[in-house]
Amino acid sequence: MNKLEIINLHVSVEDKEILKGVNLTINQGECLALLGPNGHGKSTLLAAIMGNPHYKVTQGKILLDGEDVLSMSIDERSKKGLFLAMQYPSEIPGVVNQDFLRASMNAHRDTPIKLFEFYRSVESASKKVNLPLDMVNRFLNEGFSGGEKKRNEILQLILLNPSIALLDEIDSGLDVDAINTIASVIDDLHQKGMSFLVVSHYARLYDLIHPTHSAIMINGKIVLEGDKTLIDRVDKEGYEFLKREHGIDIAKEEKKMNTVSLGACAVNQGTK
Amino acid sequence: MNKKDITNSLKSVNVLEEKTLNYIDFTKVDSSVPLSFDIVENSFVYLSLRGNCSSDITFNVKENSTLILNILFDTQINSKVKFALDDNATINVSGCDLMSSNRDFHLTCDLNGINSKGEFHLACLSSANDNKVFDVNFNHLNINTVSIMENYGISKDHSSLSFVGNSFIQRGSKKANARQITKIVAFDEGVKVKASPILSIDENDVIASHGASEGQVNQDHIFYLMSRGLSEEEAKKIIILGYLSPIINYFIDDDMKQEISSHLDRGI
């Protein structure tokens, strides 16, 4: 049994509250499609579940089979069966993909994986996501195209085989063939019992992975839940019907002015 | 490739043998006197250095010749190393400094000849109370000259680490190409790090670039790795190894490669 419960979750980023009391439950084997306009908290929810330190949980609970997820470190959450496929996976120079994959797989095992078994697993997963096997010799996500990064996320999903996968716009930037490829993997894992929380703006992906139910997040709250027909309606009509039929105002996404640097040739004193 | 220890046969002026991994271990000799090496025309020469060395070392790299120089900073190498390159000459210098000690290393490469090319690659770890300074200078003094400088450093504990890179392009050195990359990760709060990339250019028809960053371990990278099950310590280790371990690819001597690899596994 793998049940993820999100109860009255409030999350802030830099003192601005993004999630304002989210309630959601995902039972084992379910696939929840999370919809909503840009900037309303979908990615924040996924990042908070995984424990991204940029996102501060100010109130509420996240429970995995009744266990308090919020008290777990990020790696503990992974070992308990949570997996986040990121919208913008980090490029980590110098870290060779196969070293990372092997370390990740070993982190989920009692005994280190044998080299032959590791290569067989990676070879099999690479074929499923249509990535060349020599990709494992490259630095982690560095120089990968947008599509390769997303395929690499799904490759890790296959290798780590979590109980609940959180997919954050896994289809963005992918061509039609690539969407079909990764959707086939997701659907296959779903059939085998893996649970999913999937964020996407496109009905095409949802048509291929067959969500069991859906929810719409507006202004940091779940405002409507339903089945596949809700996804089809949003695809056809957008979110305007929420105001007409449910009286829900949709706050516009704030667009900050870009910071413009007039200087150059300076030493970057940051975190890169 | 044959490895030849030339430590005990060093003279003030030396000619290095071709197609041989020439090897000098300064821990075995007193090396406070200046040394000079001539790389003869049309030759391809390997040299590995290690040990205590405080002398000034000069390399004269003649036409159409190549010098591959590996330096393992395992104790006290506080030298001034100078290179003078003739037409079509190339040097490729790689240094690995994982030893806890102070360091004051200066390298100057005069790209005198047409099409001469110099590369310098460094991986450095400073820890405890180390004070390490690397001062690397490439002087473009002719046309079609190329210099590449890549410095990667980690500073831990209360150490300080400074990379000064200076690429000078003299007027008339058309089509010169100078590139510098410097990255330093400040691992702990108490460290002092400084990256100073300097381009001094007196010619218009050139390509030149520099990039330098100094900062802490990228928290997004840590989060990404931890989200796959690695502990924070493991995540930091794999990132640090990623910074320093690529230097191994530039080393020729298998013994040195093994030593660097073991040191990285043990010491980070």
Side-chain angles (χ1 to χ4, degrees):
Chain A
M1 158 147 184
N2 293 293
K3 182 180 181 183
L4 183 67
E5 293 173 275
I6 297 146
I7 303 164
N8 190 31
L9 191 71
H10 292 249
V11 175
S12 295
V13 179
E14 295 173 351
D15 294 330
K16 183 183 177 187
E17 189 171 56
I18 307 294
L19 301 187
K20 300 166 183 174
V22 172
N23 292 288
L24 268 180
T25 299
I26 302 162
N27 294 299
Q28 182 170 14
E30 287 184 346
C31 179
L32 171 65
L34 183 58
L35 311 168
N38 288 325
H40 282 249
K42 302 181 298 300
S43 294
T44 297
L45 174 63
L46 271 54
I49 295 170
M50 203 67 229
N52 189 323
H54 293 309
Y55 300 85
K56 188 177 176 189
V57 175
T58 55
Q59 200 180 328
K61 289 180 185 175
I62 302 175
L63 303 176
L64 180 61
D65 290 338
E67 281 192 77
D68 179 14
V69 170
L70 294 177
S71 66
M72 298 176 192
S73 62
I74 303 162
D75 54 318
E76 281 177 318
R77 297 178 199 209
S78 170
K79 287 170 188 165
K80 287 283 182 185
L82 292 174
F83 178 93
L84 171 60
M86 301 187 193
Q87 186 179 0
Y88 303 109
S90 287
E91 295 187 10
I92 309 185
V95 175
V96 178
N97 212 4
Q98 65 172 318
D99 294 343
F100 158 70
L101 293 173
R102 204 166 174 201
S104 302
M105 291 173 78
N106 284 336
H108 291 81
R109 298 164 57 100
D110 294 329
T111 54
I113 189 168
K114 290 184 175 154
L115 193 59
F116 183 66
E117 185 187 348
F118 170 71
Y119 274 107
R120 280 188 60 180
S121 303
V122 172
E123 186 180 35
S124 167
S126 298
K127 277 183 187 163
K128 285 179 183 167
V129 297
N130 201 16
L131 266 179
L133 187 58
D134 62 6
M135 168 276 315
V136 297
N137 296 319
R138 291 163 62 184
F139 293 149
L140 179 52
N141 290 326
E142 193 179 52
F144 283 29
S145 68
E148 286 175 326
K149 285 179 187 172
K150 297 299 177 76
R151 289 168 196 259
N152 199 28
E153 294 291 282
I154 296 299
L155 181 139
Q156 293 166 43
L157 175 71
I158 296 168
L159 294 175
L160 299 182
N161 192 30
S163 51
I164 300 176
L166 317 168
L167 310 183
D168 192 0
E169 297 198 27
I170 197 67
D171 53 340
S172 67
L174 292 183
D175 60 37
V176 175
D177 290 338
I179 289 175
N180 289 340
T181 300
I182 65 153
S184 166
V185 173
I186 294 165
D187 199 36
D188 183 45
L189 293 170
H190 184 209
Q191 297 297 325
K192 290 174 179 165
M194 193 181 288
S195 308
F196 285 89
L197 171 50
V198 182
V199 170
S200 173
H201 290 292
Y202 303 107
R204 171 184 283 277
L205 178 71
Y206 292 133
D207 285 341
L208 295 165
I209 65 173
H210 311 110
T212 51
H213 54 301
S214 58
I216 297 177
M217 179 178 278
I218 301 289
N219 306 334
K221 286 185 175 178
I222 301 297
V223 296
L224 199 60
E225 294 188 62
D227 55 17
K228 176 74 169 59
T229 56
L230 185 58
I231 301 170
D232 295 336
R233 185 165 190 198
V234 169
D235 187 47
K236 284 181 187 144
E237 302 177 29
Y239 296 101
E240 290 302 315
F241 75 92
L242 291 171
K243 167 112 181 163
R244 280 197 317 272
E245 297 178 13
H246 301 276
I248 298 166
D249 276 320
I250 301 172
K252 297 280 185 196
E253 186 183 11
E254 279 184 35
K255 289 199 173 175
K256 290 181 181 172
M257 187 180 290
N258 289 335
T259 304
V260 177
S261 169
L262 298 176
C265 301
V267 174
N268 180 6
Q269 291 180 307
T271 56
K272 288 184 178 174
Chain B
M1 194 186 315
N2 288 334
K3 187 171 172 180
K4 183 179 180 184
D5 190 341
I6 59 172
T7 308
N8 293 318
S9 56
L10 284 174
K11 299 172 232 168
S12 56
V13 179
N14 306 271
V15 176
L16 294 172
E17 194 173 317
E18 242 198 309
K19 296 175 183 171
T20 299
L21 179 54
N22 298 283
Y23 176 75
I24 301 173
D25 185 349
F26 284 114
T27 56
K28 297 178 184 171
V29 290
D30 173 20
S31 62
S32 53
V33 291
L35 287 170
S36 177
F37 294 88
D38 287 343
I39 317 300
V40 298
E41 290 86 349
N42 304 307
S43 64
F44 199 107
V45 170
Y46 299 96
L47 176 63
S48 294
L49 300 178
R50 71 181 306 166
N52 290 300
C53 180
S54 54
S55 63
D56 291 351
I57 306 175
T58 303
F59 294 90
N60 298 304
V61 189
K62 303 297 184 186
E63 284 180 24
N64 303 313
S65 59
T66 297
L67 168 66
I68 308 293
L69 174 62
N70 294 159
I71 305 173
L72 187 60
F73 294 86
D74 56 354
T75 48
Q76 297 281 333
I77 292 184
N78 293 313
S79 298
K80 285 191 175 72
V81 182
K82 291 181 182 174
F83 300 86
L85 274 63
D86 289 349
D87 289 354
N88 301 308
T90 299
I91 60 160
N92 193 324
V93 182
S94 306
C96 184
D97 182 2
L98 306 176
M99 180 63 65
S100 183
S101 66
N102 290 334
R103 187 81 62 225
D104 187 14
F105 180 78
H106 298 263
L107 182 150
T108 300
C109 177
D110 289 336
L111 299 163
N112 297 317
I114 297 170
N115 299 326
S116 56
K117 179 181 180 183
E119 287 191 37
F120 179 73
H121 305 273
L122 175 69
C124 175
L125 171 68
S126 67
S127 57
N129 292 306
D130 296 348
N131 179 10
K132 295 190 176 182
V133 177
F134 290 86
D135 176 17
V136 179
N137 303 276
F138 280 102
N139 298 318
H140 292 254
L141 307 173
N142 212 324
I143 61 171
N144 287 333
T145 47
V146 178
S147 68
I148 297 169
M149 193 188 307
E150 292 184 340
N151 301 312
Y152 290 88
I154 308 286
S155 189
K156 289 170 62 181
D157 306 323
H158 292 89
S159 64
S160 62
L161 177 59
S162 173
F163 291 140
V164 181
N166 197 338
S167 302
F168 167 67
I169 301 179
Q170 182 178 266
R171 182 174 296 181
S173 302
K174 294 182 184 300
K175 309 292 182 191
N177 188 337
R179 185 159 57 109
Q180 292 187 31
I181 298 171
T182 296
K183 291 185 179 179
I184 307 178
V185 175
F187 210 77
D188 295 306
E189 292 290 326
V191 303
K192 291 179 185 170
V193 298
K194 187 169 178 59
S196 304
I198 302 163
L199 294 174
S200 307
I201 301 171
D202 199 15
E203 168 60 48
N204 290 321
D205 185 11
V206 301
I207 299 171
S209 66
H210 65 180
S213 68
E214 52 190 55
Q216 298 187 338
V217 179
N218 189 318
Q219 292 304 310
D220 289 337
H221 294 178
I222 297 284
F223 172 65
Y224 188 85
L225 297 174
M226 290 183 73
S227 76
R228 285 6 180 193
L230 278 66
S231 67
E232 188 170 355
E233 282 303 304
E234 289 168 329
K236 282 183 176 174
K237 182 177 175 180
I238 201 169
I239 289 170
I240 299 309
L241 284 174
Y243 249 71
L244 300 181
S245 58
I247 196 70
I248 293 171
N249 299 324
Y250 292 103
F251 275 71
I252 307 297
D253 185 338
D254 286 338
D255 294 336
M256 280 189 175
K257 282 185 175 190
Q258 185 61 45
E259 201 169 327
I260 294 168
S261 181
S262 302
H263 202 128
L264 284 169
D265 282 341
R266 200 174 59 239
I268 303 296

